[in-house]
Amino acid sequence: MKEQGYFPKRYFMVLGTFLLALLLYVDRVCISVAKEPISAALDLSDKQMGWVLAAFSLGYALFQTPAGMLSDSLGPRKVLSAIVAIWSVFTALTGAAFNFISLLVVRFLFGAGEAGAFPGMSRAIYTWIPLQERGLVTGINFSGSRLGAAFALPVVAWMIDDFGWRSSFMILGVVGVAWAVAWFLFFRDMPEEHPNISNVEKEFILATRQPQDTGVKTKKNKCRRLVEVKKHLVGYGAILLQ
């Protein structure tokens, strides 16, 4: 029987999601730091650069829900590995952009790739982290994203000065692909699927990741009941507006 290790396997998972949140915001902020050299190299106006930045937000918004559905159906191991590899490729391709249209398309697809990061992380946390630790883990991951945004400004500025903006995007792309490979090799969707987890930790996670059954039965709301409640709420709203 495997005994509890000094460093539980779920903490390695948290380290991975923290680094992902860090990388996510470094890659995202990078283009803002590189705005001037990109504009000069591709002869872009401020308006065109505004469209480039908006393209990322549009891709990010449109693909978050589909990415969450994929994480539920295929599991965060495959989905996070795939989307991080995809967005890292488009991060690198940002450095290969040759005009306004190419940059616009690349940044839209980059945003579509990044959209799956937090839904996938949430799914991994749901299956691996006990209820009493989820607030802490969520805080750690969000701190990673803010640290990434803070470090991106000086670090990326240094990279651009030393290597140029094109090479800087290439380097960040390689880092992202390395993370995707490591995640696929070492992470498993469920604790019971991990070959190196201790029995103590596995049993602890399985016993505490869901609310305990209190024996209290709850009544299921039927569709008719929901419609009635909605009608009452609409009626009350109409009265208040009079």
Side-chain angles (χ1 to χ4, degrees):
M1 176 180 291
K2 294 180 180 178
E3 299 298 332
Q4 173 71 51
Y6 178 75
F7 199 70
K9 290 295 181 290
R10 66 185 183 279
Y11 294 170
F12 284 104
M13 188 275 287
V14 176
L15 176 62
T17 55
F18 170 80
L19 292 176
L20 177 59
L22 191 75
L23 177 65
L24 179 109
Y25 271 77
V26 170
D27 287 354
R28 184 181 301 185
V29 174
C30 185
I31 195 167
S32 298
V33 182
K35 177 178 179 292
E36 291 186 5
I38 291 175
S39 299
L42 303 183
D43 193 24
L44 303 180
S45 65
D46 288 342
K47 183 177 180 180
Q48 287 175 316
M49 280 303 300
W51 278 109
V52 168
L53 297 176
F56 161 80
S57 299
L58 181 61
Y60 192 85
L62 290 177
F63 284 88
Q64 277 211 311
T65 299
M69 294 171 65
L70 281 176
S71 294
D72 285 336
S73 60
L74 300 179
R77 183 191 182 205
K78 292 179 180 178
V79 172
L80 279 179
S81 298
I83 65 171
V84 175
I86 290 170
W87 103 49
S88 297
V89 168
F90 285 108
T91 297
L93 288 176
T94 302
F98 53 89
N99 60 16
F100 170 62
I101 297 300
S102 64
L103 186 60
L104 195 70
V105 172
V106 166
R107 295 309 289 182
F108 173 82
L109 295 175
F110 166 73
E114 276 208 348
F118 280 109
M121 289 162 58
S122 297
R123 183 64 187 183
I125 291 171
Y126 176 78
T127 54
W128 269 87
I129 303 300
L131 279 172
Q132 62 264 37
E133 296 178 1
R134 288 183 188 172
L136 173 62
V137 172
T138 300
I140 290 172
N141 288 331
F142 274 101
S143 69
S145 65
R146 300 309 179 262
L147 287 172
F151 288 150
L153 298 175
V155 172
V156 174
W158 166 76
M159 290 174 61
I160 292 173
D161 286 340
D162 280 16
F163 306 109
W165 68 273
R166 293 185 184 277
S167 296
S168 297
F169 281 102
M170 299 287 184
I171 293 170
L172 291 175
V174 171
V175 172
V177 171
W179 185 96
V181 171
W183 181 261
F184 186 80
L185 291 176
F186 298 111
F187 178 75
R188 296 295 183 271
D189 289 329
M190 306 292 287
E192 52 268 43
E193 296 174 356
H194 200 290
N196 297 319
I197 191 172
S198 70
N199 291 323
V200 173
E201 182 182 8
K202 180 175 67 176
E203 291 171 3
F204 173 67
I205 293 173
L206 295 179
T208 58
R209 69 183 179 183
Q210 304 297 338
Q212 297 298 313
D213 186 6
T214 60
V216 178
K217 295 183 178 180
T218 58
K219 295 182 179 179
K220 294 183 178 179
N221 287 319
K222 296 183 179 181
C223 292
R224 181 181 296 179
R225 178 59 180 165
L226 292 174
V227 172
E228 292 177 356
V229 171
K230 183 178 179 181
K231 287 181 179 179
H232 285 305
L233 291 175
V234 172
Y236 290 145
I239 294 173
L240 291 174
L241 291 174
Q242 290 179 352

